[in-house]
CSV table of all heavy atoms in Angstrom, one decimal:
chain,number,residue,atom,x,y,z
A,74,ASP,N,101.6,101.7,77.7
A,74,ASP,CA,101.2,103.2,77.6
A,74,ASP,C,102.1,104.1,78.5
A,74,ASP,O,101.7,105.2,78.8
A,74,ASP,CB,99.7,103.4,77.9
A,74,ASP,CG,99.3,103.1,79.3
A,74,ASP,OD1,100.1,102.4,80.0
A,74,ASP,OD2,98.2,103.5,79.7
A,75,TYR,N,103.2,103.5,79.0
A,75,TYR,CA,104.2,104.3,79.7
A,75,TYR,C,104.6,105.5,78.9
A,75,TYR,O,104.8,105.3,77.7
A,75,TYR,CB,105.4,103.5,80.1
A,75,TYR,CG,106.5,104.2,80.8
A,75,TYR,CD1,106.4,104.5,82.2
A,75,TYR,CD2,107.6,104.7,80.1
A,75,TYR,CE1,107.4,105.2,82.8
A,75,TYR,CE2,108.6,105.4,80.8
A,75,TYR,CZ,108.5,105.7,82.1
A,75,TYR,OH,109.4,106.4,82.8
A,76,PRO,N,104.7,106.7,79.3
A,76,PRO,CA,104.7,107.2,80.7
A,76,PRO,C,103.3,107.7,81.2
A,76,PRO,O,103.2,108.2,82.3
A,76,PRO,CB,105.6,108.4,80.7
A,76,PRO,CG,105.4,109.0,79.3
A,76,PRO,CD,105.1,107.8,78.4
A,77,LEU,N,102.2,107.4,80.4
A,77,LEU,CA,100.9,107.8,80.9
A,77,LEU,C,100.5,107.0,82.2
A,77,LEU,O,99.8,107.5,83.0
A,77,LEU,CB,99.9,107.7,79.8
A,77,LEU,CG,100.1,108.6,78.6
A,77,LEU,CD1,99.1,108.3,77.5
A,77,LEU,CD2,100.2,110.0,79.0
A,78,SER,N,100.9,105.7,82.2
A,78,SER,CA,100.6,104.9,83.4
A,78,SER,C,101.9,104.5,84.0
A,78,SER,O,103.0,104.4,83.4
A,78,SER,CB,99.9,103.6,82.9
A,78,SER,OG,98.6,103.9,82.4
A,79,PRO,N,101.9,104.3,85.4
A,79,PRO,CA,103.1,104.0,86.1
A,79,PRO,C,103.6,102.6,85.9
A,79,PRO,O,102.8,101.7,85.6
A,79,PRO,CB,102.7,104.2,87.5
A,79,PRO,CG,101.3,103.8,87.6
A,79,PRO,CD,100.7,104.3,86.2
A,80,PRO,N,104.9,102.4,86.0
A,80,PRO,CA,105.4,101.0,86.0
A,80,PRO,C,105.1,100.3,87.3
A,80,PRO,O,104.6,101.0,88.3
A,80,PRO,CB,107.0,101.2,85.9
A,80,PRO,CG,107.2,102.6,86.5
A,80,PRO,CD,106.0,103.4,86.2
A,81,LYS,N,105.3,99.1,87.4
A,81,LYS,CA,105.1,98.3,88.6
A,81,LYS,C,106.5,97.9,89.0
A,81,LYS,O,107.4,97.7,88.2
A,81,LYS,CB,104.3,97.1,88.4
A,81,LYS,CG,102.8,97.4,88.0
A,81,LYS,CD,102.0,96.1,87.9
A,81,LYS,CE,100.6,96.4,87.4
A,81,LYS,NZ,99.9,97.5,87.9
A,82,MET,N,106.7,97.8,90.4
A,82,MET,CA,108.0,97.4,90.9
A,82,MET,C,107.9,96.2,91.8
A,82,MET,O,107.0,96.2,92.6
A,82,MET,CB,108.7,98.6,91.6
A,82,MET,CG,110.1,98.3,92.0
A,82,MET,SD,110.9,99.8,92.6
A,82,MET,CE,112.6,99.3,92.7
A,83,LYS,N,108.8,95.3,91.7
A,83,LYS,CA,108.7,94.1,92.5
A,83,LYS,C,110.2,93.6,92.9
A,83,LYS,O,111.0,93.5,92.0
A,83,LYS,CB,108.0,92.9,91.8
A,83,LYS,CG,107.9,91.7,92.6
A,83,LYS,CD,107.1,90.6,91.8
A,83,LYS,CE,106.9,89.4,92.6
A,83,LYS,NZ,106.1,88.4,91.9
A,84,PHE,N,110.4,93.5,94.2
A,84,PHE,CA,111.7,93.0,94.6
A,84,PHE,C,111.8,91.5,94.3
A,84,PHE,O,110.8,90.8,94.4
A,84,PHE,CB,111.9,93.2,96.1
A,84,PHE,CG,112.3,94.6,96.4
A,84,PHE,CD1,111.3,95.6,96.8
A,84,PHE,CD2,113.6,95.0,96.4
A,84,PHE,CE1,111.7,96.9,97.1
A,84,PHE,CE2,114.0,96.3,96.6
A,84,PHE,CZ,113.0,97.3,97.0
A,85,THR,N,112.9,91.1,93.8
A,85,THR,CA,113.1,89.7,93.5
A,85,THR,C,113.9,88.9,94.5
A,85,THR,O,114.3,87.8,94.3
A,85,THR,CB,113.8,89.5,92.1
A,85,THR,OG1,115.0,90.2,92.1
A,85,THR,CG2,112.9,90.1,91.0
A,86,CYS,N,114.1,89.6,95.7
A,86,CYS,CA,114.8,88.9,96.8
A,86,CYS,C,113.8,89.0,98.0
A,86,CYS,O,112.7,89.6,97.9
A,86,CYS,CB,116.0,89.7,97.1
A,86,CYS,SG,115.7,91.4,97.6
A,87,ASP,N,114.1,88.3,99.0
A,87,ASP,CA,113.3,88.4,100.2
A,87,ASP,C,113.3,89.8,100.8
A,87,ASP,O,114.4,90.4,100.9
A,87,ASP,CB,113.9,87.4,101.3
A,87,ASP,CG,113.6,86.0,101.0
A,87,ASP,OD1,112.7,85.7,100.2
A,87,ASP,OD2,114.3,85.1,101.7
A,88,MET,N,112.2,90.3,101.1
A,88,MET,CA,112.0,91.6,101.7
A,88,MET,C,111.0,91.5,102.8
A,88,MET,O,110.0,90.8,102.6
A,88,MET,CB,111.7,92.7,100.7
A,88,MET,CG,112.8,93.1,99.8
A,88,MET,SD,114.3,93.7,100.5
A,88,MET,CE,113.8,95.4,101.0
A,89,PHE,N,111.2,92.2,103.9
A,89,PHE,CA,110.2,92.3,105.0
A,89,PHE,C,110.1,93.8,105.3
A,89,PHE,O,111.0,94.3,105.9
A,89,PHE,CB,110.6,91.5,106.2
A,89,PHE,CG,109.6,91.4,107.3
A,89,PHE,CD1,108.5,90.6,107.1
A,89,PHE,CD2,109.7,92.1,108.4
A,89,PHE,CE1,107.5,90.5,108.1
A,89,PHE,CE2,108.8,92.0,109.4
A,89,PHE,CZ,107.7,91.2,109.3
A,90,HIS,N,109.0,94.4,104.9
A,90,HIS,CA,108.9,95.8,105.0
A,90,HIS,C,107.4,96.2,105.0
A,90,HIS,O,106.6,95.6,104.2
A,90,HIS,CB,109.6,96.5,103.9
A,90,HIS,CG,109.7,98.0,104.0
A,90,HIS,ND1,108.6,98.8,103.6
A,90,HIS,CD2,110.7,98.8,104.4
A,90,HIS,CE1,109.0,100.1,103.8
A,90,HIS,NE2,110.2,100.1,104.3
A,91,PRO,N,106.9,97.2,105.7
A,91,PRO,CA,105.5,97.5,105.7
A,91,PRO,C,104.9,97.9,104.4
A,91,PRO,O,103.7,97.6,104.1
A,91,PRO,CB,105.4,98.7,106.7
A,91,PRO,CG,106.5,98.5,107.6
A,91,PRO,CD,107.7,97.9,106.8
A,92,ASN,N,105.7,98.4,103.5
A,92,ASN,CA,105.2,98.9,102.2
A,92,ASN,C,105.6,98.0,101.0
A,92,ASN,O,105.5,98.4,99.9
A,92,ASN,CB,105.7,100.3,101.9
A,92,ASN,CG,105.4,101.2,103.1
A,92,ASN,OD1,106.3,101.7,103.7
A,92,ASN,ND2,104.1,101.3,103.4
A,93,ILE,N,106.0,96.7,101.3
A,93,ILE,CA,106.3,95.7,100.3
A,93,ILE,C,105.5,94.5,100.6
A,93,ILE,O,105.6,93.9,101.7
A,93,ILE,CB,107.8,95.4,100.3
A,93,ILE,CG1,108.6,96.7,100.1
A,93,ILE,CG2,108.1,94.3,99.3
A,93,ILE,CD1,110.1,96.5,100.2
A,94,TYR,N,104.6,94.1,99.6
A,94,TYR,CA,103.8,92.9,99.8
A,94,TYR,C,104.7,91.7,100.0
A,94,TYR,O,105.8,91.7,99.5
A,94,TYR,CB,102.9,92.7,98.6
A,94,TYR,CG,101.8,93.7,98.5
A,94,TYR,CD1,101.9,94.8,97.7
A,94,TYR,CD2,100.6,93.5,99.2
A,94,TYR,CE1,100.8,95.7,97.6
A,94,TYR,CE2,99.6,94.4,99.1
A,94,TYR,CZ,99.7,95.5,98.3
A,94,TYR,OH,98.7,96.5,98.2
A,95,PRO,N,104.2,90.7,100.7
A,95,PRO,CA,105.0,89.4,100.9
A,95,PRO,C,105.6,88.8,99.6
A,95,PRO,O,106.6,88.2,99.6
A,95,PRO,CB,104.0,88.5,101.5
A,95,PRO,CG,103.1,89.4,102.3
A,95,PRO,CD,102.9,90.6,101.4
Side-chain angles (χ1 to χ4, degrees):
D74 66 344
Y75 176 82
L77 299 177
S78 294
K81 296 184 185 322
M82 186 170 189
K83 182 177 181 178
F84 282 96
T85 58
C86 61
D87 287 343
M88 289 299 284
F89 186 76
H90 188 279
N92 308 115
I93 301 172
Y94 288 99

